[in-house]
Amino acid sequence: MKQRYLPALALLCSLMILAACGKKEDTAATAAAPKEYVVGADGAYAPFASENEQKELVGFDVEIMKAVADKAGLKVKIVNTPFDGLFNALAQGDRDILISTITINDQRKQSMDFSEPYFVAKQLIVLPADSKVTKFEDLKAQKIGVQSGTTADEAAQNLVGKNSPSVKRFESMPLAFQELEGGGVDAVVGDNGVVTNFVKNNPGKNFRIVNDPAFPKEYYGIAVKKGNSELLAKLNHGLELIKADGTQDRIYKKYFADEKL
């Protein structure tokens, strides 16, 4: 009687073994799946990052990040993140990488690590066409619009004082430009790429640009959490490769055809 059950028992054991093997294979596949790194970028900062009609982020920073990730073998997801929340998002682990025209400076190096520079920038002043301002110092008696937390914000504070009511801070550059158009501020200070892009694409607003040589050069870097040397090394490797094969030059010329890299 017992022998009748042997075939059925053997079949049951075989199925259990196959199921166990399947679970091991599934676990191995899950373990081998590449980590998706969440990248923060301010989507109100054309031409570096802005949303298209499909609510997808596009722009210079976006293309640079994707090219670097491709060369470095990284899987990334780029998420629209307001600039004033970028650094906290990185510190809290909500973002793994930041690329958003972030100037490398000593203060920021205290709380995050940066890649090698991928863009050289400087501050420019945007003014109504009839303004008499010819240099940054002339803004001491003016109302200055800046994006909060940027190096333009720092420059304005250094000029007129940290708590001066003459400095008006905005969440985004479009809001600062809107305030300038409405007369709420006398000038807007911002990064050259954003300023030239806005003035070029809004000729009817009758703005002009002042390029003051007193503004120092600034260098943008890709930021990671302090101490994440492994990820930083991969990003630097990717940057090195896109510089070497001309990818960075091609992306740059697409957005800044009239400027030299």
Side-chain angles (χ1 to χ4, degrees):
M1 293 293 291
K2 291 180 180 179
Q3 291 180 353
R4 292 183 181 179
Y5 296 102
L6 289 178
L9 182 60
L11 177 61
L12 178 60
C13 289
S14 298
L15 291 173
M16 291 175 68
I17 292 170
L18 287 173
C21 290
K23 287 180 180 179
K24 288 181 180 178
E25 290 174 0
D26 291 344
T27 302
T30 301
K35 172 182 171 61
E36 182 178 65
Y37 293 93
V38 182
V39 182
D42 183 357
Y45 219 67
F48 294 92
S50 60
E51 286 189 339
N52 61 16
E53 293 179 355
Q54 290 74 42
K55 297 298 180 181
E56 300 167 331
L57 284 180
V58 295
F60 177 80
D61 276 359
V62 176
E63 292 197 31
I64 288 292
M65 186 69 250
K66 289 180 178 178
V68 167
D70 181 62
K71 295 292 187 182
L74 300 174
K75 183 179 181 182
V76 296
K77 177 183 179 182
I78 305 176
V79 179
N80 190 352
T81 310
F83 193 88
D84 59 3
L86 275 175
F87 302 150
N88 282 338
L90 181 67
Q92 294 170 5
D94 296 325
R95 302 290 183 269
D96 303 298
I97 301 169
L98 304 179
I99 184 167
S100 194
T101 66
I102 304 172
T103 298
I104 303 169
N105 60 33
D106 291 338
Q107 181 181 356
R108 289 170 179 169
K109 283 181 179 179
Q110 294 176 16
S111 57
M112 63 192 80
D113 288 333
F114 285 97
S115 70
E116 292 298 316
Y118 69 91
F119 190 92
V120 181
K122 67 172 299 183
Q123 300 299 311
L124 294 176
I125 306 167
V126 189
L127 302 154
D130 59 357
S131 173
K132 304 301 181 184
V133 169
T134 60
K135 58 185 182 299
F136 189 49
E137 284 286 328
D138 294 341
L139 296 181
K140 281 187 174 180
Q142 309 279 329
K143 291 181 181 177
I144 310 168
V146 296
Q147 183 171 4
S148 179
T150 61
T151 49
D153 189 355
E154 293 175 16
Q157 291 179 45
N158 291 335
L159 181 69
V160 298
K162 185 174 182 179
N163 299 313
S164 173
S166 297
V167 180
K168 296 192 68 173
R169 298 174 178 84
F170 301 89
E171 291 182 2
S172 69
M173 287 301 288
L175 290 175
F177 291 134
Q178 184 177 329
E179 189 77 358
L180 178 63
E181 185 180 12
V185 294
D186 302 301
V188 168
V189 179
D191 291 359
N192 60 315
V194 175
V195 166
T196 55
N197 178 76
F198 179 82
V199 173
K200 178 181 178 181
N201 290 297
N202 293 275
K205 296 188 183 299
N206 205 26
F207 291 151
R208 68 179 180 89
I209 296 172
V210 167
N211 182 357
D212 188 337
F215 284 121
K217 286 184 177 180
E218 299 180 15
Y219 298 87
Y220 296 162
I222 302 172
V224 300
K225 199 168 186 178
K226 192 74 176 173
N228 196 343
S229 56
E230 182 179 353
L231 178 57
L232 189 63
K234 291 178 180 179
L235 293 172
N236 277 327
H237 180 60
L239 271 173
E240 183 181 354
L241 292 177
I242 69 168
K243 289 176 182 178
D245 70 4
T247 300
Q248 184 180 20
D249 285 339
R250 288 193 294 274
I251 297 173
Y252 187 92
K253 289 175 182 176
K254 177 179 176 180
Y255 292 94
F256 309 103
D258 300 329
E259 298 183 36
K260 293 181 180 180
L261 185 61

